Amino acid sequence: FYHLVVRDIKVRYKQTVLGGLWAILQPLFMMLVFTLFFGQLAKVPSEGVPYPIFSFSAMVAWTYFSNAVSFSSNSLVNDQQLISKVYFPRIALPLSPVIALLLDFCIAFVILLVMMAFYGFYPTLSTLLIFPLVILMVLTAAGTGLLLSGLNAKYRDVRYTVSFLVQLWMFASPVVYPASMVPAEYRLAYAINPMAGVIEGFRSVLLGTAPFPVEMVLISAAVSVSLFLLGLFYFTRTERSLADVI
């Protein structure tokens, strides 16, 4: 598992001009686009903070999640020769990009801290709550990746739906808009989307946009853990026949 993680990191940055800067450029460019179209033109509210830092704080988490799901869901198909030649715990393949991409997340998070300082936001004790939120983010990505990778190994057209699913999931999450825009009576149901609690939690502990959304995070946490267990259960059931169907 360790060597697969190291391999994923090396492959991601090997023979690239910008190297680790890609971890910054992707959420940065998305932030600029969102700021122009949603912040300036559509005038989407940002809960009293500048829209660039509002959107970038969400993009740091979302970029990790979307990339982790995309790489994890295609991991079995991409490494099918390895699966057919030697036995090892197959679960290491979809989980390795989930861990490897934490390096990208850490790089982007450092830039987020720099932006926070630029806009006058500084870490407080509540910032420590970022660690359980990161765990929820990783669990959600891992569960989704395990589920989709097993499906993708059996049904190859799943890979074509992953990018659409991720894009749809982004607009169903409070990335470009605050969760406060969702009517209050639907907000707890909205938290069934596990990334909703993660992103709103990020903004709360880093920018102080609103009190920490305890109920939303708890619901998102329950869904995140359930999604991970579901993905784990499905993958272990599918793993036995992978070498035959891959």
Side-chain angles (χ1 to χ4, degrees):
F1 181 67
Y2 167 78
H3 286 291
L4 285 173
V5 172
V6 172
R7 181 204 65 171
D8 287 344
I9 294 174
K10 288 182 177 179
V11 168
R12 185 163 173 79
Y13 295 121
K14 187 177 182 181
Q15 292 182 325
T16 59
V17 176
L18 299 177
L21 286 177
W22 286 115
I24 304 169
L25 292 178
Q26 186 176 359
L28 189 63
F29 282 139
M30 291 298 290
M31 176 205 72
L32 293 175
V33 172
F34 290 157
T35 299
L36 175 61
F37 288 99
F38 293 98
Q40 298 296 323
L41 299 180
K43 302 296 182 183
V44 173
S46 56
E47 299 186 322
V49 302
Y51 194 88
I53 189 72
F54 173 85
S55 60
F56 192 78
S57 60
M59 284 307 304
V60 168
W62 183 258
T63 300
Y64 164 82
F65 174 75
S66 61
N67 286 339
V69 169
S70 298
F71 284 107
S72 180
S73 61
N74 290 312
S75 59
L76 297 180
V77 175
N78 292 339
D79 285 313
Q80 55 184 302
Q81 292 182 343
L82 184 61
I83 292 175
S84 59
K85 289 182 179 179
V86 62
Y87 176 77
F88 61 96
R90 316 299 194 197
I91 197 171
L93 287 173
L95 289 184
S96 61
V98 174
I99 302 303
L101 284 165
L102 283 173
L103 176 59
D104 284 22
F105 172 80
C106 291
I107 295 173
F109 190 78
V110 170
I111 301 303
L112 174 59
L113 293 176
V114 173
M115 288 185 64
M116 287 172 55
F118 177 79
Y119 284 105
F121 296 94
Y122 300 99
T124 62
L125 283 177
S126 63
T127 305
L128 295 176
L129 291 172
I130 202 74
F131 293 105
L133 293 172
V134 169
I135 292 174
L136 291 181
M137 177 184 71
V138 172
L139 279 178
T140 305
T144 308
L146 286 171
L147 185 61
L148 291 177
S149 63
L151 288 171
N152 193 24
K154 296 182 68 174
Y155 312 105
R156 296 304 173 83
D157 52 348
V158 170
R159 67 162 62 188
Y160 304 114
T161 66
V162 171
S163 59
F164 171 74
L165 173 65
V166 170
Q167 288 179 353
L168 188 65
W169 198 333
M170 185 188 75
F171 287 105
S173 304
V175 176
V176 298
Y177 58 88
S180 58
M181 291 186 67
V182 178
E185 60 268 27
Y186 301 120
R187 208 162 293 162
L188 293 183
Y190 180 68
I192 293 175
N193 172 6
M195 287 304 293
V198 170
I199 292 172
E200 279 299 296
F202 263 56
R203 288 190 178 126
S204 176
V205 301
L206 294 174
L207 307 178
T209 51
F212 189 74
V214 177
E215 291 183 339
M216 178 177 282
V217 171
L218 288 177
I219 294 173
S220 293
V223 175
S224 177
V225 172
S226 300
L227 181 60
F228 177 76
L229 293 176
L230 175 64
L232 187 62
F233 173 76
Y234 179 78
F235 189 88
T236 53
R237 291 287 300 272
T238 307
E239 183 181 14
R240 303 168 189 170
S241 58
L242 277 180
D244 299 323
V245 301
I246 196 71

